[in-house]
Amino acid sequence: MATDAAPVPIRVLVLSASLRADSLNTRLAALLARLVENTGAVADAARLADFPMPLYDGDVETAEGIPPGARALCERLDACDAFVISSPEYNASVPGVLKNAVDWVSRVRPQPFKDKQALLASASPSMVGGNRGLWALRVPLEHLGTRVYPDMFSLAKAHETLQDGQLSDSGLQDRLGETVASFLSLVEADTRYVCLQRRWYEFLGDRTDAPLTQRSQD
């Protein structure tokens, strides 16, 4: 008797937005990738340093086009159903290198942030845990059509808490695992159990030829 084939696993890009190899956010991204894999999804781990690109300049774009690093990041985003970013906080905001990458990638058509589900996380030695930077990061991503998960994860005193690839606080470890699992349940619903197709308009007067968007609704 024939049986239905197993569904293709959800694929998630897990990106460390720090350039420093042994940064707290690179270590948190590695933990996030393992938690993604624990749910049965596929984690595509990457660092922003893997995608070198110059500062955005419209003249450079006109003369030379989109730089290879930005195109490579775009391809990795296109290949995934969702993405996770672990980002440091610089001066209570988004690191310039991350904002620059978002700006370059947004110039690709079709731009890959639109309609993607995203989970944001941060790690910092401070008591704030980098949370202010995540609120700033939501703005450009949501402007580009990304559906940013409401429950962000910010790890305070990360230099003490993030040890040996996991969190020394079992309560925080459980909370992070639950956050990742809940996020991926939403991603699965959005990609596999579509009950509505509609056009997405950023402004009420926008009547572009944007493709139909697939989105699960209550």
Side-chain angles (χ1 to χ4, degrees):
M1 180 177 178
T3 58
D4 293 335
V8 176
I10 297 295
R11 187 174 179 86
V12 183
L13 175 65
V14 183
L15 179 68
S16 167
S18 178
L19 297 181
R20 191 165 60 88
D22 191 37
S23 78
L24 292 169
N25 280 279
T26 296
R27 288 153 60 184
L28 179 58
L31 172 56
L32 285 161
R34 288 197 298 275
L35 292 172
V36 166
E37 296 275 358
N38 287 345
T39 70
V42 175
D44 177 16
R47 294 173 50 224
L48 204 52
D50 299 335
F51 311 100
M53 58 192 84
L55 292 175
Y56 178 77
D57 183 331
D59 290 340
V60 171
E61 181 185 6
T62 299
E64 303 175 17
I66 307 295
R71 289 200 176 277
L73 178 55
C74 181
E75 290 171 1
R76 299 279 281 275
L77 284 164
D78 278 336
C80 290
D81 300 295
F83 63 93
V84 178
I85 296 178
S86 181
S87 174
E89 174 186 293
Y90 289 177
N91 297 313
S93 191
V94 185
V97 66
L98 176 56
K99 179 58 165 60
N100 184 60
V102 171
D103 291 341
W104 267 119
V105 171
S106 73
R107 301 298 295 171
V108 178
R109 292 294 181 269
Q111 61 92 356
F113 294 111
K114 185 176 184 294
D115 304 329
K116 281 283 194 301
Q117 301 281 355
L119 174 65
L120 304 184
S122 59
S124 170
S126 76
M127 292 300 294
V128 181
N131 187 257
R132 294 168 299 188
L134 297 187
W135 282 107
L137 178 56
R138 294 184 73 102
V139 176
L141 291 178
E142 291 181 335
H143 170 77
L144 292 167
T146 303
R147 299 166 192 160
V148 182
Y149 193 63
D151 190 6
M152 304 181 294
F153 184 86
S154 294
L155 183 63
K157 301 180 71 174
H159 61 302
E160 299 175 0
T161 308
L162 187 53
Q163 300 290 338
D164 299 322
Q166 62 183 4
L167 304 183
S168 58
D169 185 316
S170 60
L172 282 177
Q173 180 76 24
D174 290 344
R175 184 198 152 198
L176 181 57
E178 290 168 1
T179 298
V180 170
S182 296
F183 169 67
L184 291 179
S185 292
L186 176 63
V187 174
E188 182 177 28
D190 195 48
T191 56
R192 292 182 178 165
Y193 309 112
V194 178
C195 60
L196 178 67
Q197 289 188 338
R198 67 183 179 85
R199 290 188 182 275
W200 178 272
Y201 297 115
E202 183 180 356
F203 305 106
L204 291 178
D206 185 5
R207 291 296 180 269
T208 67
D209 58 353
L212 284 175
T213 299
Q214 294 185 328
R215 184 177 184 181
S216 57
Q217 299 283 352
D218 291 337

